[in-house]
Amino acid sequence: MSYDVIIGLEVHVQLQTQTKIFCGCSTAFNPDQPNVQTCPVCLGLPGALPVLNGKAFWLAVKTALALNCEIAPFTKWDRKQYFYPDLPKGYQISQYDLPFSHDGHVDVVTESGGERHVRILRAHLEEDAGKNLHDESGRGRDSQVDLNRAGTPLVEIVTEPDMRTAEEARRFLEELRLLLTYLEVSDCNMQEGSLRCDANVNLHVHQPDGGKVATPIVEVKNLNSFRFTEQAILHEVERQWEEFQRTGKTIKDAPKSTRGFDPGRGVTYPMREKEEAADYRYFPDPDLVPVTVTPADVARVRAEMCETPISRRQRFQTDYQLSAYDAAVLVDQGREVAEYFETVARAAGDGKQAANWITQDVLRELNDRQLTIATFPIPAPVLADLLGRVHRKELTLKSAREVFAALLESGEPANIEQIGQVIAEKGLAIVQDAGAIDAAIAQVIAANPKPVADFKSGKAQAAGALIGQVMKLVKGADPQGVRERLLEQLKSLP
Amino acid sequence: MSSAGRTASQTIAAFRTGETNARDLAEQTLAAITARDGAIGAFLHVDREDASQQAERLDERRRSGQSLGLLAGLPVAIKDVLCTRGQPTTCGSRMLKDFKPPYDAHVIERLRAADALLIGRTNLDEFAMGSSSENSAFQQTKNPWDATRTPGGSSSGSAACVAARMTPVSLGSDTGGSIRQPAGLCGIMGLKPTYGRVSRYGLVAYASSLDQIGPFATDVAGAALLLEAISGHDPRDSTSVNRPVPAYSQSVDQPLAGLKIGVPREHFAEGLEPEVASVVRGALDVYKSLGAELRDVDLPHSKYSIAAYYLIAPSEASSNLSRYDGIHYGHRTEAFKSMAELYAGSRGEGFGPEVKRRIMLGTYALSAGYYDQYYVKALKVRRLIRQDFDNAFADVDIIAGPVTPTPAFKLGELVDDPLAMYLSDIYTISANLAGIPGASIPCGFSKTGLPIGLQLQAPPFEEERLLRAARMFERATDWHLQTPPLS
Ligand SMILES: [Zn+2]
């Protein structure tokens, strides 16, 4: 027997607004001072009323457009009701039957180069809850509630169960993060909970008669890293397969259950479940008026959108003749690296060269020195100037690397004048003086009768040693030019 | 003349002309409360020191020649369901016995800006649920016309304190009739504005889509003044409507020529006490004598209004009251072993029986499997009720009829019969479902000397028309000048 893995994700993304979704409180991440970013509205005090933050709404529309979703012309707010200490009103303001967007998709390229089309069922807006802080010393029994986060705007993105491997799920999340950070709708900081994921997993087991049987769906809650998501799914697949073989239980026996993930042990574990299915008693929030969105509104948001990573990857291939791989490496580093590349490529007049340098030299240095592109000491115009010199054959590639290293060593932000200074100090300028090169060639030929004779007898590689000697004599000579002249002169020897 | 006998306009005029000062006005009001409220039980809380300080600041402002607000010097009593910074806001519930909001409701800000004197907090049925004051966790308010009878509810204290001439005006809230019904039973003017006319920010919610704050007054001009002060757009309430506020206090005295009054057949049908019917008919005759034309109108869906109301209001209430869970503020039970016990214990001890009854009704109506059958159907009925009014108002300017089917009933009489109690709002509820403004004005007395009210209703945002129509009647009669024995 074999099986297919069926994975759907529910992703919560915190929108990058200054203020909360229904009040004016700050959304800054503040783990140290509880309950300082609160007001009567987000505390749910008697008499307080929510008012929609327009910025949050349009940021959410932008998010949905990036996910290729349809935007609903009419959307309303519903209350999702349950009791929990971090939920100050006893209900969460969310969207139930009329979400502001639906039916989108994201295309994900896997590491093997395959592509997966993941459909988005809906994206809706809701407010975040607060946070319960439990005394973990084991002594006290006090639990405390921090409502700084309560009312932070979240977009919940629900996919169709279109992913088939844990890697595809991870790649979907990576693509999503890249997309949303490009658009600056979210910082997607997983440590601070700006991007959280629940994974729905089950197996479709192939039967000898050609049919399929589904195992019960498991929702793994609150996955807060890409790696954990992948690990949790891998474990869940193994566990479900083992359980199915042992018990034969299918989705008809138990439609759905909820599990947590223990990253320390790499396993999922059952979460306490209510006896009865939750009844959230959704109904339209009478405190909030519905929102209508016109085609002109959608056009306005669309006009404000920057290029998405997907179209940028394609454009880099056509505009700069990059390979799909190089284009992806540059774009996947985030918007700032991609923009750094584009500045360098344009100014140096050589996209391929710029891509090589950035994907290799620059990324290596960023990694070694624990820098971001914003703190990298060689700004794009400086690297562009350096590569321009190579492109115009004023500098050898090797010399350019020496200049690059020297600029980095100073530790200070480099400027264009420094390139000239380093070239002058180290004597790296390509010697254009044909006379000096010819004289050196003559000198080397005279001093090396054995390699010269070897060359004349057909051993082409003997020229290499001679070129090296000429280069030593004429610092800054262009090796290609030296090679050409040397071969010419060797051939003209009797 | 003591402030206690003056109307709102007379009080403001006395202060403006310097005939009296705010300190005397505050003291006379406090003295009237001291003298009369023992028998009435209208007030839950009077902060004498705070009232005196407000008065002193106001006198100081007048001395220094600063401009004075619309309500300068006017003592106003506040239903204890409107948040006032630093003052107890109990909602008549054990749940909020010790709650002091850190902020002012929008209407409180408006009253302060208009230089009114906030004089105290008045009793109500718990969380504004009830029609008799008997659901208050703290005390029963008595009808100033007969202390064995109810003043009506839920704005019981606000109605009774004005009827007993302790303050010339007060604020109440009306979800299904909670201003008009007690105004009718206490023989004073009460007005529920159009939904959205007055911001609900800071009004502790009972049923958000029905609640509206409004004035009580001894005369129509007082209600016009108070309404003018509290109306207007508030960006903190997204259901608050951004429309200009007419100067109600300026136009109220202009009679309406060619007034067409609709008389709904359904409001004179079975259930209406003959005595009330004849007094209300008499009031309609007064209008006729003033040149108004009476026309029969139909409100065919009004028979469903009680049913629709008791699905929509409890549904919203069950949700709005979820926040009282013993976690963040308010009453918390002492004995609990688990989170579920903390919730159940705190809510079980904190809420009274009527609140629990409505929470359970609402929870049931919203639960999966019943939602379409109850809640959604009630919303459909609500739309039909609104349509009935739209159709009727195509023909007439004002709709007039009884406020309640009976005069004030005896305290304790209906306590064990919630359905009979619910029927006392039968003529008022549909205005809340439709969102239209409605008023109650005194129009006569029963044989036993209990006041009977006339309800006037107008199309949305036609409060000006409503007030002018009410004033026409008031000018022609003297019912509003009758004062109860306990005043
Ligand atoms: Zn807030």
Side-chain angles (χ1 to χ4, degrees), chain B residues 435-447:
Chain B
I436 63 168
S440 171
I441 54 175
C443 73
F445 288 88
S446 71
K447 286 183 205 76

Side-chain angles (χ1 to χ4, degrees), chain B residues 210-335:
Chain B
L210 302 162
D211 296 340
Q212 195 61 195
I213 302 163
F216 288 99
T218 53
D219 67 350
V220 178
L225 274 163
L226 206 51
L227 181 66
E228 186 175 329
I230 62 172
S231 292
H233 183 235
D234 174 11
R236 295 170 300 183
D237 173 0
S238 80
T239 63
S240 149
V241 175
N242 195 355
R243 279 171 82 117
V245 180
Y248 302 117
S249 61
Q250 303 300 306
S251 58
V252 64
D253 270 316
Q254 300 162 15
L256 293 155
L259 183 66
K260 289 194 285 284
I261 296 179
V263 182
R265 288 189 185 90
E266 294 79 2
H267 287 194
F268 290 87
E270 200 192 337
L272 180 65
E273 262 189 22
E275 199 180 15
V276 176
S278 82
V279 167
V280 172
R281 293 268 182 213
L284 296 174
D285 288 340
V286 171
Y287 272 109
K288 221 166 163 181
S289 72
L290 294 171
E293 183 194 333
L294 301 184
R295 288 186 186 179
D296 284 338
V297 292
D298 278 310
L299 301 172
H301 297 94
S302 62
K303 57 177 173 287
Y304 304 116
S305 62
I306 292 260
Y309 177 86
Y310 280 100
L311 288 168
I312 293 169
S315 291
E316 295 184 13
S318 73
S319 174
N320 285 332
L321 272 58
S322 304
R323 68 193 66 197
Y324 310 111
D325 57 4
I327 303 282
H328 302 94
Y329 52 83
H331 178 76
R332 177 184 290 183
T333 184
E334 284 182 2

Side-chain angles (χ1 to χ4, degrees), chain A residues 20 23-25 37-39 41-42:
Chain A
K20 294 183 180 181
C23 67
C25 291
Q37 290 163 193
T38 56
C39 71
V41 175
C42 59

Side-chain angles (χ1 to χ4, degrees), chain B residues 106-119:
Chain B
H106 176 78
V107 292
I108 300 294
E109 289 176 354
R110 286 290 179 99
L111 292 182
R112 291 192 201 280
D115 293 324
L117 297 174
L118 306 181
I119 223 72

Side-chain angles (χ1 to χ4, degrees), chain A residues 40 44-49 51 79 81 83-85 88-91 147 279 281-284 286-289, chain B residues 83 99 102-103 200-203 208 235-238 319-320 322-324 328-329 339 343 363 367-368 371 375:
Chain A
L45 289 189
L49 296 173
V51 175
R79 294 182 180 178
Q81 315 196 63
F83 284 110
Y84 207 63
K89 297 186 290 294
Y91 57 83
L147 297 176
D279 181 353
R281 305 192 320 280
Y282 282 100
F283 83 110
D287 288 331
L288 284 161
V289 289
Chain B
C83 289
F99 179 65
Y103 71 107
R200 293 181 295 113
Y201 189 81
L203 165 67
S208 311
R236 295 170 300 183
D237 173 0
S238 80
S319 174
N320 285 332
S322 304
R323 68 193 66 197
Y324 310 111
H328 302 94
Y329 52 83
M339 214 160 71
Y343 290 133
T363 303
S367 55
Y371 180 81
Y375 183 77

